[in-house]
Amino acid sequence: MNDSRNKLLSFPSPVALKADYQRVKSAYTVREIKQLFGLGERTIRRWTEQGIIEGSSSPDQKEVTYGFQALTQFRRVRDLRSQGQTIRQIEAELQGQLSLFRGTEGQVARLLTPFEEALILHERGDVKAAEYYLEAVNEGDNVAEAYCNLAIINLEQGNGAEALNQLTLSLKHDPRHVEAHYNLANLYYDHGNYHLARLHYEAATQIEPGFSLVYFNLALVYHRMSDASAAWAALQHYRELEPDDQDTDALSDLLQAMANSPNRPNNSLR
């Protein structure tokens, strides 16, 4: 999620869609967690050092990654933040929960669930991943995530209609599934339905205000809808979340060109 190809922008104008669909993965970097959940890197690393959230170090010890089980903890953090809790309050609750899991140390390692098997196969490019995702759905194992990733497989195979259906099913099982909203927005953008794309991008921002990539994409949607002021606000929000990203200059130039157009609408940039 962390390079310029993940953005929906291609110049020169008119802007072409480059959709980077977000699948649920078996491992995330610190930067990816930061982008997806809007948490500071210091907080993420502190929780890892304190054992509050489990991370795995790379062989050279330079990079920490977080598995799917850690992802569920970060989603819990998201829910607690939406309830108005501070980072310190959340940290205290996570520390309290930690003792509940320490009693399992030393036990025989459990078998992977069908969904976890599917994640591994998916990342290897194994076509059997789809079978395991369907098995996960049938067993009630991370159903929303399984549908979301099945949609990605269908998109890779050029089956947009089935991907649309699976993303809809993902949201039916979990209306707050951020990746499904984001992917559905990308899909609608790709097909020129900017109103529905905006709807799902905005839903993603309501669920996770710190998901930085959404604001970049929202700026593009608002640009397509000739709402320059909203596009500029979304871009500014993205810059606040990703101050080191230099790829925003081209989009800024595009929006400024809209503002300077003699045929600009009344809501143009000021």
Side-chain angles (χ1 to χ4, degrees):
M1 293 191 299
N2 59 352
D3 62 43
S4 61
R5 291 173 299 175
N6 292 346
K7 313 206 175 58
L8 302 182
L9 188 57
S10 178
F11 285 97
S13 186
V15 179
L17 177 64
K18 284 187 178 180
D20 179 58
Y21 294 90
Q22 301 294 308
R23 64 178 172 83
V24 179
K25 303 197 301 180
S26 63
Y28 293 80
T29 65
V30 172
R31 177 162 174 75
E32 288 172 334
I33 292 295
K34 174 181 178 292
Q35 285 185 324
L36 189 57
F37 295 95
L39 292 167
E41 288 193 16
R42 288 185 180 180
T43 297
I44 298 169
R45 295 186 187 279
R46 184 177 73 250
W47 288 352
T48 307
E49 292 168 359
Q50 294 175 350
I52 295 174
I53 290 183
E54 183 178 354
S56 301
S57 298
S58 59
D60 58 11
Q61 301 294 315
K62 292 183 178 180
E63 184 62 86
V64 177
T65 58
Y66 301 88
F68 177 71
Q69 295 304 317
L71 189 68
T72 61
Q73 289 179 280
F74 284 117
R75 287 177 174 168
R76 175 60 178 160
V77 171
R78 172 190 291 156
D79 291 339
L80 293 173
R81 290 175 77 187
S82 70
Q83 296 170 19
Q85 291 198 27
T86 66
I87 289 295
R88 290 298 181 187
Q89 289 173 323
I90 293 170
E91 185 171 313
E93 178 161 332
L94 292 176
Q95 286 174 326
Q97 293 174 351
L98 184 61
S99 60
L100 299 177
F101 298 97
R102 283 179 172 158
T104 63
E105 292 180 359
Q107 293 183 5
V108 177
R110 64 178 177 79
L111 297 175
L112 294 177
T113 69
F115 179 73
E116 291 168 337
E117 291 275 10
L119 287 179
I120 295 172
L121 293 171
H122 196 165
E123 292 179 1
R124 292 175 180 170
D126 193 320
V127 295
K128 291 183 180 179
E131 297 177 17
Y132 279 87
Y133 283 134
L134 287 172
E135 183 179 343
V137 168
N138 292 334
E139 293 189 10
D141 174 21
N142 293 289
V143 175
E145 286 77 14
Y147 274 128
C148 182
N149 284 8
L150 275 170
I152 300 299
I153 291 175
N154 275 278
L155 284 168
E156 292 168 349
Q157 296 173 347
N159 192 347
E162 185 59 26
L164 176 64
N165 178 56
Q166 287 162 342
L167 289 171
T168 302
L169 288 171
S170 177
L171 290 176
K172 178 181 178 181
H173 284 270
D174 181 3
R176 292 176 56 81
H177 198 279
V178 173
E179 293 93 338
H181 277 293
Y182 182 82
N183 292 335
L184 202 49
N186 284 358
L187 190 57
Y188 281 128
Y189 186 105
D190 192 36
H191 288 80
N193 192 331
Y194 305 122
H195 289 279
L196 285 178
R198 182 196 67 185
L199 176 69
H200 285 282
Y201 284 138
E202 289 179 345
T205 66
Q206 291 297 313
I207 299 166
E208 180 45 78
F211 187 7
S212 60
L213 295 183
V214 179
Y215 296 99
F216 192 99
N217 297 353
L218 260 177
L220 291 173
V221 170
Y222 291 138
H223 167 259
R224 286 290 197 177
M225 299 175 70
S226 299
D227 189 343
S229 59
W232 186 254
L235 178 59
Q236 290 298 93
H237 200 145
Y238 176 78
R239 282 174 164 167
E240 292 171 5
L241 292 170
E242 299 287 349
D244 298 327
D245 189 347
Q246 301 300 316
D247 293 337
T248 59
D249 293 343
L251 179 53
S252 179
D253 292 343
L254 181 67
L255 298 182
Q256 193 59 52
M258 179 194 294
N260 296 333
S261 171
N263 298 319
R264 66 184 183 275
N266 291 332
N267 63 353
S268 296
L269 298 176
R270 291 177 174 84

